[in-house]
C-alpha cells in the first residue's frame, strides 16, 4: 500500500489541543460549512479536511453574465463532502483576454480557499496542447499546498485516442495512473476516469463528470464532478487528485 501513497490518518485530538469552534451553522448566504477539523502533525495547513472524507463533490457555479453575453468569466466552484457541507471554495484567476482567446485550453491559476478564508491549495496549469500530434507539449498541472509548496503534479500521457494521466509526488515520482474513456462526452450518462495503481492492476479511486441535464449541457459550460478515494490515502495525494479533476 505504501507504493500508492497511503498513510494512517490520526483521529484523536493531540494532547492539550483545544479544537476550534464548530462552524456548521448556515452563513448569510445559506451555505453550511464542514466543521473545522483539528490540526494534524505533518499535514499541510488546511488539508485536515481531506483526512476525514473519502469523496468530494464539485459544483461549478452558474455565471448568468456569461450565458447572456457569451464572454467567458472566471470559473468558480463549491467543493462539498457527502453530507453537502462545503469544504472549500475554488476560484479561477485569469485575465479576460486569456479566457476568451484560449478557451478551454487556456493556462490558469486556481485558488482554493477554506472556511477561514485561507488559501490552502493553489493549482497552476501552463499553456499546453493536448493533441496527439504534439506529444512533447501535453497538459500538466502543479499542485501547491500551501501556496508556494509543491506537493505533486498531474501530467498527461500521450495516447492516440484515450485521455491518460499520471499523478506524481513533489519529486516527480510516479504514484498513480488515471485512465479515461475514449469518448469523454456522452449524452444522458456520467463519464468516469478511473484512478489506478501504478501498474494499473488495482483501482484506487474515480473522477466522474456528472450529467447535468440537456439544458445545462447544451447552453452552459457549467460542470459537476465527483471524486472518490480511500479514506487512508495520503492527504497530499488527495489534493493532487483534486487538481487532476480540475485539469480534466
Amino acid at each position: 500500500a505504501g507504493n500508492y501513497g497511503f498513510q494512517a490518518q490520526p483521529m484523536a485530538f493531540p494532547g492539550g489541543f483545544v479544537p476550534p469552534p464548530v462552524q456548521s451553522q448556515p452563513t448569510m448566504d445559506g451555505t453550511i460549512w464542514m466543521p473545522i477539523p483539528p490540526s494534524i502533525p505533518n499535514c499541510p495547513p488546511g488539508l485536515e479536511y481531506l483526512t476525514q472524507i473519502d469523496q468530494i463533490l464539485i459544483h461549478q457555479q452558474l455565471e448568468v453574465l456569461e450565458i447572456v453575453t457569451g464572454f467567458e468569466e472566471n470559473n468558480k466552484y463549491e467543493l462539498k463532502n457527502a453530507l453537502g457541507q462545503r469544504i472549500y471554495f475554488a476560484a479561477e484567476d485569469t485575465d479576460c483576454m486569456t479566457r476568451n482567446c484560449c478557451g478551454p485550453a487556456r493556462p490558469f491559476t486556481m485558488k482554493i480557499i477554506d472556511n477561514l478564508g485561507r488559501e490552502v491549495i493553489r493549482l497552476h496549469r501552463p499553456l499546453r496542447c493536448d493533441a496527439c500530434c504534439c506529444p512533447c507539449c501535453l497538459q500538466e498541472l502543479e499542485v501547491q499546498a500551501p501556496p508556494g509548496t509543491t506537493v505533486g503534479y498531474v501530467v498527461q500521457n500521450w495516447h492516440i485516442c484515450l485521455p491518460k494521466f499520471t499523478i506524481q509526488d513533489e519529486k516527480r515520482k510516479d504514484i498513480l495512473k488515471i485512465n479515461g474513456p475514449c469518448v469523454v462526452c456522452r449524452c444522458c450518462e456520467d463519464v468516469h476516469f478511473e484512478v489506478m495503481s501504478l501498474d494499473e492492476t488495482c483501482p484506487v479511486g474515480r473522477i466522474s463528470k456528472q450529467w447535468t441535464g440537456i439544458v445545462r449541457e447544451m447552453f452552459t459550460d457549467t460542470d459537476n464532478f465527483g471524486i472518490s478515494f480511500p479514506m487512508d490515502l495520503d492527504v497530499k495525494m488527495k489534493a493532487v487528485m483534486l487538481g487532476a479533476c480540475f485539469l480534466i
Side-chain angles (χ1 to χ4, degrees), residues 126-146:
L127 181 62
R128 293 293 184 91
C129 176
D130 62 357
C132 62
C133 59
C134 299
C136 61
C137 194
L138 296 176
Q139 292 292 330
E140 180 174 310
L141 181 136
E142 179 184 2
V143 182
Q144 300 177 358

Side-chain angles (χ1 to χ4, degrees), residues 117-134:
R118 301 178 299 176
E119 183 185 351
V120 296
I121 304 174
R122 180 176 296 177
L123 312 176
H124 177 67
R125 176 178 114 170
L127 181 62
R128 293 293 184 91
C129 176
D130 62 357
C132 62
C133 59
C134 299

Side-chain angles (χ1 to χ4, degrees), residues 222-244:
T222 57
D223 293 319
N224 291 334
F225 278 84
I227 310 173
S228 60
F229 37 63
M231 186 75 76
D232 60 347
L233 184 67
D234 184 343
V235 68
K236 294 180 181 179
M237 291 302 102
K238 290 183 180 182
V240 180
M241 278 187 64
L242 178 58

Side-chain angles (χ1 to χ4, degrees), residues 210-230:
Q210 300 169 351
W211 173 256
T212 56
I214 189 67
V215 174
R216 281 205 173 199
E217 294 287 344
M218 290 186 63
F219 298 105
T220 76
D221 63 356
T222 57
D223 293 319
N224 291 334
F225 278 84
I227 310 173
S228 60
F229 37 63

Side-chain angles (χ1 to χ4, degrees), residues 88-108:
Y88 300 119
F89 182 82
E92 178 186 1
D93 183 14
T94 56
D95 61 80
C96 181
M97 181 175 292
T98 299
R99 292 194 305 272
N100 289 281
C101 291
C102 299
R106 63 183 179 267
F108 67 76

Side-chain angles (χ1 to χ4, degrees), residues 33-47:
W33 285 87
M34 180 177 173
I36 302 173
S39 60
I40 297 174
N42 301 319
C43 177
L47 298 195

Side-chain angles (χ1 to χ4, degrees), residues 59-199:
H59 302 297
Q60 184 174 350
Q61 293 190 341
L62 192 64
E63 300 291 343
V64 178
L65 183 62
E66 183 176 314
I67 298 173
V68 174
T69 65
F71 285 97
E72 184 75 21
E73 295 288 315
N74 275 321
N75 291 329
K76 301 179 181 67
Y77 304 85
E78 283 187 297
L79 283 64
K80 299 181 178 180
N81 61 16
L83 300 176
Q85 299 170 327
R86 184 188 285 181
I87 312 168
Y88 300 119
F89 182 82
E92 178 186 1
D93 183 14
T94 56
D95 61 80
C96 181
M97 181 175 292
T98 299
R99 292 194 305 272
N100 289 281
C101 291
C102 299
R106 63 183 179 267
F108 67 76
T109 296
M110 188 76 67
K111 298 180 178 180
I112 300 178
I113 300 167
D114 68 2
N115 63 359
L116 295 177
R118 301 178 299 176
E119 183 185 351
V120 296
I121 304 174
R122 180 176 296 177
L123 312 176
H124 177 67
R125 176 178 114 170
L127 181 62
R128 293 293 184 91
C129 176
D130 62 357
C132 62
C133 59
C134 299
C136 61
C137 194
L138 296 176
Q139 292 292 330
E140 180 174 310
L141 181 136
E142 179 184 2
V143 182
Q144 300 177 358
T149 303
T150 301
V151 295
Y153 299 87
V154 185
V155 296
Q156 184 181 6
N157 305 128
W158 184 88
H159 194 279
I160 193 169
C161 62
L162 295 177
K164 287 178 170 286
F165 302 87
T166 298
I167 288 178
Q168 301 175 333
D169 65 13
E170 68 276 11
K171 297 180 180 179
R172 293 279 189 174
K173 177 183 177 182
D174 294 350
I175 302 296
L176 298 169
K177 295 286 187 179
I178 301 176
N179 298 324
C182 184
V183 180
V184 295
C185 291
R186 298 179 182 175
C187 184
C188 301
E189 63 180 62
D190 297 346
V191 179
H192 303 296
F193 293 75
E194 303 297 337
V195 183
M196 308 292 293
S197 59
L198 201 55
D199 59 6

